[in-house]
Amino acid sequence: MFHQAVWDEKLIIEKSGKRTLKLPFENVEFKMKIPEDLARKDLNINDNEEYEVIRHYVRLSQMNYGVDLNTYPLGSCTMKYNPKISEEIVSMDQVKYIHPLQDESTVQGSLQIMYELQEFLKEIGGMDAVTLQPVAGADGEFTGLLLVRAYHENRMDFKRTEIIVPDSAHGTNPASSTMAGFTTIEIKSNENGMVDLDALEAALSDKTAAFMITNPNTLGIFEENILKIAKMVHEKGALLYYDGANLNGIMGKTTPGKMGFDIVHFNLHKTFATPHGGGGPGAGPVGVKKKLEEFLPVPVIGFDGKKYFFDYNIKNSIGKITGFYGNFAVLVRAWAYIKLKGGSGLKEVTEMAVLNTNYLRKKLQGYYDLPYKELRKHEVVFSGTNFKQYGIKTLDIAKRMLDYGLHAPTIYFPLIVEEALMMEPTETESKENLDKFAEIMIRIASEAKENPELLKNAPQNTAVGKIDEVEAARNPVLSWKMIKK
Ligand SMILES: *Cc1c(COP(=O)(O)O)cnc(C)c1O
């Protein structure tokens, strides 16, 4: 419990020569005692002044990089600016201090938020039902593929053991397919960077459980044959899965439902603004068409006109995916973001994201190789191959960007672009920022030709200089102990 210390001279005590505050917690009895043999004998912690500790952490924070500081062009990750009002909302006691085992009647507000989010996502995805449980995009993929399996098995169709993915797919797609017990079949993309219909036709069979694609795909290109693809897949009795990581390129303009998809996962942390990176935190709700609703994980959030409740009444549920509320704080942020933007606001987000990307594409075209001529949606993938003749790799370009105080884009993904340099400016960058960003990229392109050593030795202006990538991969230091040289 939190006690407010009342100002009182008696509370100030002298401890090892320092004045400190005596708080009324002395009589607290700890029931759990650490066994003698496990208790630490020599607690060797430095006795630092407050200002020293503050300066240490502020200094550390200044060595870091975040979207609050500057452009964060990490493609595929949608590193948009995250409005601070969402942080205020998730910091409210009503959100922060609820317990997962509280009675439904005491958490009606939280359930309402979750219920409304389900409804919003249904509309945005063009789906009929949604589960909020999965805690990442990849977790959503895994959940979605379990639903695919349940669907076919429920129809006594046990031979569907294959998931088809294009060669431009994110690595989590084949990984989730394997984890869910399927065999992954990879098909190549055509010369326009889209699904090769002949390759798809050849791969489809009565063993196909689903075709899993991202649209716009990882090149940022919209699949122009998506309706035809949906027809081909459905005619073979298979399902069509939508990797929703790139929703920022279509949101409010169209829906995966309209394109013929049966299952969608949403990466709430990407599209709907939760600060994320380094593996978390995330939420990957899954939306499905009517025919898959009976397999959703339990519980979904129900509403009977008066009360919100956990609905466990799902006929052929695949069971539970995550404990309790899932990643509740991410759900609340997404709900707040959608409420604040409204339907037309979400559409504007997409329009700005697409405009920004194509602006950047035009600005850098000619300086960096640009495979595929199509217009892009929310991201654009350049290639560093034109710098090979100067001994420069995409990695060197990315490292040099750090010297200019920028975050690097995604590199070497998607795999179908050699020396890939994948940029996603997002809608939250102004024209001024994009101009500045492009100017630096153009400067780096000329440095690569005129003074390649600058790039090869980069970064020089960062807290940590160039890292020996080979050594780091071969002999990773995984223990917390510092190595004494
Ligand atoms: C980010 C991403 C994923 C995986 O999502 P996580 O939330 O990181 O698990 C899947 N597909 C694509 C295209 C992505 O960009």
Side-chain angles (χ1 to χ4, degrees):
M1 285 299 106
F2 184 71
H3 294 264
Q4 193 107 40
V6 182
W7 184 252
D8 181 346
E9 264 303 306
K10 282 198 294 270
L11 291 174
I12 307 286
I13 53 166
E14 295 267 328
K15 199 178 151 208
S16 31
K18 285 190 188 135
R19 276 159 72 84
T20 176
L21 200 63
K22 177 172 178 269
L23 290 171
F25 299 145
E26 258 167 30
N27 299 327
V28 179
E29 241 188 77
F30 291 101
K31 292 224 171 67
M32 287 218 331
K33 276 238 163 73
I34 297 169
E36 267 304 302
D37 54 333
L38 293 180
R40 210 192 281 256
K41 305 279 179 316
D42 54 339
L43 192 57
N44 210 356
I45 294 177
N46 281 350
D47 194 5
N48 288 326
E49 294 289 350
E50 178 179 311
Y51 74 87
E52 287 175 311
V53 176
I54 294 286
R55 284 177 184 175
H56 171 71
Y57 283 107
V58 170
R59 212 171 281 133
L60 282 184
S61 79
Q62 288 171 337
M63 287 159 72
N64 210 341
Y65 191 97
V67 74
D68 287 355
L69 204 63
N70 208 342
T71 312
Y72 208 129
L74 200 64
S76 216
C77 298
T78 311
M79 307 302 272
K80 60 175 73 179
Y81 174 76
N82 307 291
K84 293 296 164 262
I85 188 166
S86 310
E87 299 311 309
E88 276 177 41
I89 294 170
V90 291
S91 305
M92 288 166 69
D93 289 357
Q94 296 93 320
V95 175
K96 205 164 56 177
Y97 290 131
I98 56 168
H99 191 280
L101 289 177
Q102 262 175 253
D103 188 80
E104 272 172 13
S105 64
T106 67
V107 287
Q108 282 294 301
S110 301
L111 294 179
Q112 183 180 345
I113 285 175
M114 292 172 78
Y115 179 82
E116 288 183 7
L117 182 59
Q118 282 177 183
E119 295 297 307
F120 295 156
L121 294 178
K122 272 196 232 173
E123 196 177 331
I124 293 166
M127 294 287 126
D128 296 315
V130 164
T131 169
L132 300 177
Q133 281 183 38
V135 290
D139 199 20
E141 292 170 24
F142 179 66
T143 306
L145 290 171
L146 293 183
L147 296 172
V148 168
R149 210 160 98 179
Y151 171 81
H152 291 306
E153 286 182 357
N154 188 54
R155 292 162 47 246
M156 301 305 223
D157 189 350
F158 296 106
K159 61 187 175 309
R160 296 193 180 264
T161 54
E162 295 177 353
I163 300 290
I164 304 174
V165 298
D167 56 3
S168 57
H170 194 263
T172 48
N173 292 184
S176 301
S177 154
T178 303
M179 272 185 72
F182 292 101
T183 305
T184 309
I185 311 285
E186 189 183 278
I187 58 167
K188 64 178 171 51
S189 303
N190 66 18
E191 65 284 0
N192 302 323
M194 297 182 225
V195 171
D196 185 315
L197 297 187
D198 293 335
L200 177 62
E201 186 61 48
L204 281 168
S205 74
D206 60 1
K207 287 206 273 184
T208 310
F211 182 36
M212 199 176 186
I213 50 174
T214 316
N215 192 27
N217 65 25
T218 57
L219 297 165
I221 298 173
F222 191 86
E223 297 283 351
E224 60 184 9
N225 291 315
I226 190 60
L227 295 176
K228 205 167 187 181
I229 290 169
K231 193 153 172 269
M232 285 168 71
V233 169
H234 289 143
E235 271 173 8
K236 278 285 192 304
L239 297 170
L240 192 57
Y241 183 99
Y242 186 88
D243 176 335
N246 294 347
L247 203 67
N248 224 47
I250 61 139
M251 176 172 61
K253 305 290 277 187
T254 183
T255 70
K258 276 192 196 154
M259 299 177 211
F261 285 89
D262 304 295
I263 308 174
V264 176
H265 83 250
F266 304 86
N267 299 60
L268 295 189
H269 43 296
K270 296 182 181 174
T271 318
F272 303 104
T274 281
H276 66 283
V286 172
V288 295
K289 284 275 175 70
K290 198 92 202 152
K291 62 185 170 200
L292 287 147
E293 189 172 358
E294 63 183 290
F295 307 108
L296 284 181
V298 279
V300 292
I301 312 301
F303 181 55
D304 63 10
K306 282 204 184 100
K307 285 192 292 53
Y308 297 91
F309 60 95
F310 289 113
D311 185 358
Y312 283 89
N313 188 19
I314 298 180
K315 198 164 74 182
N316 294 314
S317 172
I318 57 167
K320 221 167 170 9
I321 289 294
T322 310
F324 303 108
Y325 290 60
N327 240 343
F328 184 59
V330 181
L331 304 181
V332 175
R333 285 187 187 93
W335 171 85
Y337 184 79
I338 296 169
K339 284 280 255 195
L340 286 165
K341 291 278 178 199
S344 60
L346 294 181
K347 192 168 141 196
E348 272 167 33
V349 162
T350 293
E351 286 169 351
M352 272 323 277
V354 173
L355 183 64
N356 278 356
T357 301
N358 286 292
Y359 183 70
L360 202 58
R361 180 180 72 104
K362 275 280 176 199
K363 284 223 128 188
L364 297 184
Q365 210 172 354
Y367 298 97
Y368 292 84
D369 272 351
L370 181 66
Y372 311 111
K373 299 289 157 277
E374 276 65 25
L375 268 178
R376 302 307 152 104
K377 290 288 177 239
H378 64 303
E379 64 195 2
V380 56
V381 183
F382 291 96
S383 164
T385 40
N386 53 326
F387 301 109
K388 258 190 183 167
Q389 51 183 313
Y390 310 104
I392 292 299
K393 302 188 297 286
T394 285
L395 181 71
D396 304 319
I397 296 166
K399 297 285 184 196
R400 183 62 179 154
M401 289 171 72
L402 309 185
D403 275 338
Y404 286 104
L406 287 176
H407 195 279
T410 295
I411 55 174
Y412 299 106
F413 175 74
L415 302 178
I416 59 171
V417 173
E418 201 188 335
E419 295 291 319
L421 203 56
M422 180 196 220
M423 300 179 192
E424 179 179 7
T426 83
E427 72 283 2
T428 55
E429 292 307 308
S430 66
K431 180 172 175 296
E432 287 74 21
N433 283 350
L434 293 179
D435 285 339
K436 255 187 264 166
F437 180 82
E439 201 183 301
I440 293 172
M441 292 310 295
I442 292 167
R443 192 182 306 171
I444 292 174
S446 64
E447 284 176 354
K449 292 177 192 164
E450 286 150 23
N451 195 356
E453 290 308 309
L454 267 181
L455 277 73
K456 285 182 197 162
N457 297 325
Q460 307 255 11
N461 304 336
T462 47
V464 176
K466 191 159 186 101
I467 286 170
D468 185 340
E469 308 270 339
V470 178
E471 176 71 12
R474 294 239 170 101
N475 299 308
V477 180
L478 302 173
S479 126
W480 59 271
K481 276 183 189 142
M482 305 299 275
I483 300 211
K484 286 204 183 87
K485 288 235 163 146

